[in-house]
Amino acid sequence: DGGITQSPKYLFRKEGQNVTLSCEQNLNHDAMYWYRQDPGQGLRLIYYSQIVNDFQKGDIAEGYSVSREKKESFPLTVTSAQKNPTAFYLCASSLREGLGELFFGEGSRLTVL
Amino acid sequence: GENVEQHPSTLSVQEGDSAVIKCTYSDSASNYFPWYKQELGKRPQLIIDIRSNVGEKKDQRIAVTLNKTAKHFSLHITETQPEDSAVYFCAASKYGNEKLTFGTGTRLTIIP
């Protein structure tokens, strides 16, 4: 079953701790993205990557970091520098050509205690 | 950067009636305008998109219109059905999917 898988689905973190969210795709897509979804604010782009070993900051990159060592994987680390990390995080992928559908994962809900 | 405003934030429509959701964008260079539907507890999915060289696009009960001069685009759903209940997001970009800016979403409720 081709698709994009995020884990964990729910995650709790204490203040001051870093946490890494996993995103894996088997669609052979070159481009991958991380979005943050907050109530009433839509989806905001955190980071994106068009090719292995390269990634770009989105609109709200502060307090986050990513890596793209493999085409299939694009993990997101929420660091202790992120002031308001409690949110729903969505990973997506698409063909590198840019136009066409974003395929989203089911999301990861992070709660900071 | 791009700014996308979406209205209304909530919309209730009687089953069988039409629903219209409107978005405006700020960057006149934007040329790609997709619409995503997110059902409760599910992932967003693309339902229709339009590029700036086209004024209207239809897919069965769904249509999108684009007015480049006014910098606004709209989603039209006709003959609404209960399964149309969801949150709808518009988006705009001048770089394709690379830097999509999303609207804040419209929660559409179809009343049986």
Side-chain angles (χ1 to χ4, degrees):
Chain A
D1 184 26
I4 184 164
T5 303
Q6 289 184 240
S7 63
K9 195 168 184 178
Y10 299 96
L11 187 62
F12 297 88
R13 186 196 94 176
K14 291 182 180 179
E15 281 191 19
Q17 290 180 337
N18 293 353
V19 62
T20 298
L21 308 180
S22 170
C23 179
E24 304 276 333
Q25 54 99 0
N26 61 4
L27 300 167
N28 200 32
H29 285 168
D30 286 298
M32 297 187 74
Y33 314 80
W34 275 104
Y35 285 90
R36 170 175 171 147
Q37 186 173 19
D38 295 285
Q41 294 197 50
L43 285 74
R44 293 181 290 167
L45 182 64
I46 305 172
Y47 268 99
Y48 65 99
S49 168
Q50 296 286 359
I51 197 169
V52 174
N53 292 323
D54 186 53
F55 47 83
Q56 306 295 327
K57 292 182 179 180
D59 299 319
I60 56 165
E62 185 176 350
Y64 300 98
S65 66
V66 293
S67 63
R68 187 85 187 276
E69 297 177 1
K70 299 187 300 182
K71 185 176 183 178
E72 303 79 19
S73 179
F74 191 42
L76 173 74
T77 296
V78 184
T79 75
S80 56
Q82 169 50 233
K83 296 305 178 189
N84 186 20
T86 295
F88 188 62
Y89 292 89
L90 282 163
C91 180
S93 69
S94 73
L95 295 172
R96 188 186 178 185
E97 287 75 14
L99 295 179
E101 185 171 0
L102 282 179
F103 288 85
F104 284 90
E106 292 191 329
S108 294
R109 185 168 297 281
L110 171 64
T111 302
V112 175
L113 304 173
Chain B
E2 175 68 275
N3 181 47
V4 176
E5 294 189 357
Q6 183 172 349
H7 300 281
S9 57
T10 60
L11 178 62
S12 294
V13 174
Q14 206 71 35
E15 183 178 351
D17 288 349
S18 296
V20 181
I21 302 171
K22 299 180 179 181
C23 290
T24 59
Y25 61 99
S26 61
D27 191 341
S28 57
S30 288
N31 55 20
Y32 177 58
F33 307 92
W35 285 87
Y36 283 80
K37 174 184 180 182
Q38 187 176 27
E39 296 179 42
L40 188 62
K42 296 189 177 181
R43 67 191 81 191
Q45 290 188 300
L46 179 71
I47 54 171
I48 196 166
D49 57 10
I50 192 168
R51 302 175 191 180
S52 60
N53 58 346
V54 176
E56 183 177 4
K57 183 176 179 180
K58 287 184 179 180
D59 183 3
Q60 299 181 3
R61 297 185 297 107
I62 293 173
V64 58
T65 58
L66 172 65
N67 183 327
K68 285 194 67 180
T69 303
K71 290 189 283 187
H72 69 72
F73 55 113
S74 301
L75 178 71
H76 304 254
I77 307 174
T78 59
E79 300 173 8
T80 53
Q81 301 169 3
E83 53 264 37
D84 294 329
S85 292
V87 178
Y88 292 81
F89 293 97
C90 62
S93 172
K94 55 185 175 184
Y95 305 112
N97 284 323
E98 195 169 299
K99 292 200 76 174
L100 274 173
T101 298
F102 283 84
T104 51
T106 296
R107 182 174 298 279
L108 174 63
T109 302
I110 307 302
I111 305 168

